[in-house]
Every structure is written in structure tokens, then in C-alpha cells.
Amino acid sequence: MITPVILSGGSGTRLWPLSRKSYPKQFVPLIGHETLFQASARRVSGAGFGAAIVITNSDFRFIVQDQLADIGLSAQTILIEPEARNTAPAVLAAALHAQRSDPNAVLLVTPSDHVVPDTAAFVASVEAGLGAVKQGRLVTFGIQPTYPETGYGYLELSEDLHSDGAVVALSRFVEKPELARAKDMLESGRHLWNSGIFLFRASDIVAAFQQYMPGMLAQVTQALEQAEEDLGFLRLAPEPWVQMQDISIDHAVMEKASNLSVVPFGAGWSDLGSWDAVWGEGARDENGVQLSGDATAIDCEDSLLRADSDDLTVVGLGLKGVVVVAMNDAVLVVDKTRTQDVKLAVAALKAKGVKQATDLPKDHRPWGWFESLAVGARFQVKRIHVHPGAALSLQSHFHRSEHWIVVEGTAKVTVGDDTRLVTENESIYIPLGAVHRMENPGKVPMVLIEVQTGSYVGEDDIIRYEDKYARGQGKKG
């Protein structure tokens, strides 16, 4: 039985404005109806795979849990990183945790934001690597390149590829190349794209850390030994974790190890690292135009037009090789040849202190989500969506009162000592300073409109008394 390890703590910027630090691309349905995280979890959930270990951070823990439940899956363990420290500490923590229940555990480490259309071919490639794993090899998966990509690292092979796709020995890792070097590597036939997917026994990767990164092994061991259970999650101890080096598994171990093998994979793969990649993976019309949402193209070629809001209409006229992504709070227009540089736009917005650089207008919480519809000097209007059976914390505010109008479902509302049901088209007033709570007692989502008025309407104006999600004072929602 193979234990999948799904890495899901990233916060990439190259698919801005849809992917942001507060809600990165793995949780977004970029291709099809499922999110990249859901597709990744489903891909490693069939015969031969056990329940996954998912590694994420505190902000995403309930999103991971909810998205797994939406597709009928659950994790063996969800490990919570105190801070992002790249892939090396995360992989090691998963390996040490897996060893607790199975000293001979075989781990398949995979990012949560890749597209692999052919699941059967992927599973077959994993099975092809098991023989090398039984011999103590650390196996990585190399993607057969189709063009001279400069945005990927490469794997240089020690021998020519076999026609049957058998495992081959790895010579070395190659960093992201310049275009001329990428063309040479493509022509050589001995280079594959580095997918960042690995297969090995937990004992073998732990031994590699013992040899090449003994200090990190000691720190991760301590973080795991001092970890705390929290609402079904396992929180790694912060003190040893934050002292660790921020380093990838490639640089920490793989580039130094001598027992590496490669499984070549040529059945289709993308890390969706740019909007150009999204355009390449999605359905396009006869003019090479990809449309999403309420988007219309007139005399356009080789372009992507995307409206990611029910309230927006996007129209492209006479565009060629252009990406347009429109959201309620931000619009990106970029030449398709420059999509790798979207991170420069995000950096520019951060430098100006623009919140759209990192935060989406829809704010996800353990109980559901909310979005701001209108904000003024002394008021804010929100739409709040509460999952069935979920509840906001028992709380009060120093600076604002609130008026709630239920528009879908039924709310159970507590104000002071009074608790009552508020149904569709009914409302209730929450005076400034009143202790209150909102719950959804039903089996369908509950939606309400909240109107806040007062001298300050920031999310940190909260005194929390009770919270089923164990969040502390000043935490949102």
C-alpha cells in the first residue's frame, strides 16, 4: 500500500489575480469543475493507495478538509506547518509521521497544484517505480519535454531512455536554464522536466536526511514529538520548526544522493505555473481562444478571456496573444508571452500597499465564507455564507453594531440571553457590545446580508468568548 503525501501549503503569485496568498491556485477550479487539490487527491485515491497525509498551513486547514469531503475523501492526517519552510522539512515530517504506524511505509510525494489528465498512465508510472523503491532507491518522475521550457528545472539522465519507459538512473539536477541551453537539452534526448513528484520508502528518505541534513532531521523530529492534536489536525511544534532552513527537498537531499532513479512520464503534465499554461491545458475554439465565465471574444486569436465573477462580463475585440482575467476587485491584462512575469505585477502592488496583491474579496473561514459588497467610512455590507451545521464564534464588538437579513436558509441567532430562529426575509439587530452568535442548524447553506455601522468596521474588532474551531482573540470570523 502506497501512502500519498500531498503538499498543499504553497501561495504562488503567477496566476494572480485568481490565485493569491489568501487562497492559492491549488484550491481553485482552474481546469474543469474540481480544484487542482481535489484532482490531485482523487488521482492518488484508487486501488493500491492508502489515505493521504496532507501538509498545509493553519489558514488552509479547513479548506483542505472541506474540499476532501466534497469529493468523498478524507485524509489519514493533516499536518499543520507553523510557517512555510519549503518542501524539505514538510516531506521529512510526513516521512517521520508515516514511520510511526508503518516502518516500511512507501510514500508518493506530490504537489497539489499540478494537472495530470491521464490518471491511469500516472498510476502505471508509479507502479513502474516500485521495483526501484524496493531496492532502496529514491525515485523521481521526469516529464518528457515537448519544447524548450525555461521555467522548469531539468533532470539529466545517465543513460538513454528505454522504449518501454523503464526506470533509468539519474545523473544530476539542472536548474532552470536559459533558452539556448533548454534547446540543447531538448535535442540531447537525455533530459526530462523535473516534476517535483517522488516515490520512496520513508526509512530511505529519513536515512538520506540523516546523512545530508542531520540538523534538520533533529529539528523536524522535535517538532513532531512536540506536536499537538487540534480539532483533528496535527500541529507541528513552532519553536523547532521556525528555526529550520527554508530549503527544497531537491537542494537538501536529492542533488546530493547517489541512489536516485527516474521514471519517465510522457502522458501529459503541467504545473500550471502561468496563465499561458492554463491556456494550453484548457479547451480552445478553432481560433485558439479559451473562454471562461461570462466572456465573449470577437475576432480574437490565441487568447484567454476569463470572467471570475457572476457580476462581470468580459468582451475581447481584435485581441491576439492576450490574457485577460477579470475579478470583482482586480483585472489582469497581459501579453501571453509575458505571463511568467505576472509575479512582477504582484510585487509592484505589494510595494504600493495594495491589498489585492495578496487578499481575495471572498474571505474563507472554517464555517464558510464572506465577501464585502460595499465599504464606507462608517459602514460595511457583507454577504455571509455559512455551511450546514457550522457556527461562528460567540463574540462581541467594541465599535460596531450589525443588522442581519437572512436571504437563504435559516439562522439560529443568539443575542445576549435570547436565542431564536431567523428565516428567509427576516432580520435581526445586534446592538454594539452585545454578545452574539450565528449558527446554521439546517442541512442546506445559510446566506445572509450583514450591514455593519460604527466608527470602525475592521475584522480585528472582536472579543471571542467561545469558538468551536479553537481560534483565539482577534482571529477573523
Side-chain angles (χ1 to χ4, degrees):
M1 190 72 69
I2 298 171
T3 299
V5 175
I6 304 176
L7 306 178
S8 194
S11 55
T13 59
R14 289 181 293 176
L15 292 181
W16 185 90
L18 191 61
S19 172
R20 307 188 201 180
K21 183 179 180 181
S22 68
Y23 204 72
K25 68 174 182 176
Q26 61 263 32
F27 301 122
V28 177
L30 278 162
I31 304 293
H33 298 293
E34 287 188 341
T35 69
L36 299 179
F37 171 76
Q38 289 173 321
S40 298
R42 190 186 295 280
R43 190 160 52 246
V44 294
S45 64
F49 294 102
I53 298 172
V54 180
I55 307 171
T56 189
N57 62 45
S58 185
D59 290 342
F60 304 149
R61 66 194 191 281
F62 291 105
I63 297 173
V64 164
Q65 199 173 55
D66 288 347
Q67 291 204 352
L68 286 174
D70 285 346
I71 58 173
L73 297 177
S74 60
Q76 172 195 138
T77 305
I78 299 177
L79 292 174
I80 307 300
E81 296 179 288
E83 289 185 12
R85 282 294 181 266
N86 215 313
T87 55
V91 171
L92 180 55
L96 291 170
H97 179 72
Q99 280 190 309
R100 289 177 165 181
S101 55
D102 181 5
N104 299 312
V106 175
L107 307 181
L108 175 66
V109 177
T110 177
S112 61
D113 56 358
H114 291 183
V115 172
V116 183
D118 192 337
T119 296
F122 176 76
V123 172
S125 72
V126 172
E127 292 172 347
L130 287 174
V133 168
K134 291 177 182 177
Q135 297 173 9
R137 309 288 291 180
L138 306 177
V139 175
T140 185
F141 293 79
I143 309 302
Q144 295 183 9
T146 54
Y147 61 94
E149 172 62 58
T150 59
Y152 299 152
Y154 284 71
L155 305 172
E156 183 177 307
L157 307 179
S158 298
E159 55 187 302
D160 292 336
L161 291 172
H162 305 297
S163 59
D164 59 357
V167 176
V168 295
L170 176 66
S171 174
R172 67 187 182 99
F173 287 76
V174 181
E175 294 295 329
K176 296 176 183 179
E178 297 293 333
L179 181 58
R181 175 64 174 142
K183 289 179 178 178
D184 291 340
M185 288 192 291
L186 180 64
E187 294 174 0
S188 75
R190 281 200 174 191
H191 292 84
L192 303 176
W193 291 336
N194 182 6
S195 69
I197 302 172
F198 301 97
L199 183 71
F200 39 62
R201 290 185 301 211
S203 56
D204 291 326
I205 194 64
V206 171
F209 273 93
Q210 179 65 63
Q211 181 175 357
Y212 302 113
M213 297 287 288
M216 179 171 287
L217 177 59
Q219 291 169 314
V220 175
T221 299
Q222 184 181 2
L224 193 61
E225 289 175 345
Q226 297 175 6
E228 296 182 354
E229 291 281 351
D230 175 17
L231 298 174
F233 307 101
L234 186 61
R235 288 183 175 273
L236 297 164
E239 288 190 10
W241 192 268
V242 299
Q243 297 173 21
M244 277 187 285
Q245 183 180 356
D246 184 321
I247 188 172
S248 70
I249 185 74
D250 288 3
H251 290 156
V253 171
M254 297 300 176
E255 293 178 357
K256 304 170 185 175
S258 59
N259 58 332
L260 267 73
S261 296
V262 181
V263 176
F265 184 74
W269 168 92
S270 174
D271 72 344
L272 286 190
S274 68
W275 281 113
D276 184 41
V278 175
W279 173 84
E281 290 294 324
R284 302 181 297 279
D285 66 15
E286 65 277 8
N287 296 313
V289 175
Q290 182 184 141
L291 301 177
S292 180
D294 188 3
T296 301
I298 303 170
D299 295 331
C300 294
E301 298 178 27
D302 297 331
S303 295
L304 183 153
L305 305 178
R306 187 176 183 117
D308 274 284
S309 170
D310 295 335
D311 305 323
L312 287 175
T313 295
V314 172
V315 178
L317 176 60
L319 301 179
K320 185 174 182 179
V322 173
V323 170
V324 179
V325 182
M327 303 186 69
N328 280 339
D329 66 333
V331 177
L332 172 71
V333 181
V334 59
D335 187 295
K336 199 156 66 68
T337 64
R338 296 290 305 278
T339 56
Q340 287 283 356
D341 294 330
V342 168
K343 59 183 180 291
L344 301 178
V346 177
L349 293 177
K350 284 183 179 179
K352 294 168 61 177
V354 177
K355 67 178 183 179
Q356 285 92 332
T358 56
D359 297 332
L360 282 167
K362 182 180 287 187
D363 213 330
H364 291 263
R365 293 286 172 261
W367 42 261
W369 54 264
F370 70 84
E371 60 181 335
S372 294
L373 303 179
V375 182
R378 294 182 59 87
F379 76 90
Q380 181 171 203
V381 181
K382 289 181 180 179
R383 174 164 50 195
I384 300 178
H385 174 112
V386 184
H387 298 318
L392 279 70
S393 59
L394 185 68
Q395 58 187 257
S396 65
H397 309 293
F398 282 117
H399 303 289
R400 70 175 186 259
S401 60
E402 297 171 341
H403 191 181
W404 295 343
I405 306 98
V406 176
V407 294
E408 292 182 28
T410 299
K412 181 181 178 182
V413 178
T414 297
V415 182
D417 297 327
D418 179 48
T419 299
R420 65 186 179 95
L421 297 179
V422 182
T423 59
E424 291 181 9
N425 206 32
E426 293 183 339
S427 64
I428 189 168
Y429 177 68
I430 314 297
L432 186 150
V435 177
H436 60 282
R437 188 204 306 269
M438 176 201 312
E439 305 173 63
N440 180 358
K443 298 185 181 298
V444 298
M446 184 269 290
V447 180
L448 60 80
I449 302 300
E450 177 182 84
V451 180
Q452 304 174 354
T453 56
S455 58
Y456 179 72
V457 292
E459 291 300 323
D460 55 349
D461 176 22
I462 182 173
I463 304 173
R464 182 172 282 112
Y465 304 98
E466 295 176 8
D467 183 56
K468 67 185 293 184
Y469 309 109
R471 294 166 298 167
Q473 170 67 27
K475 299 292 185 181
K476 299 177 184 178

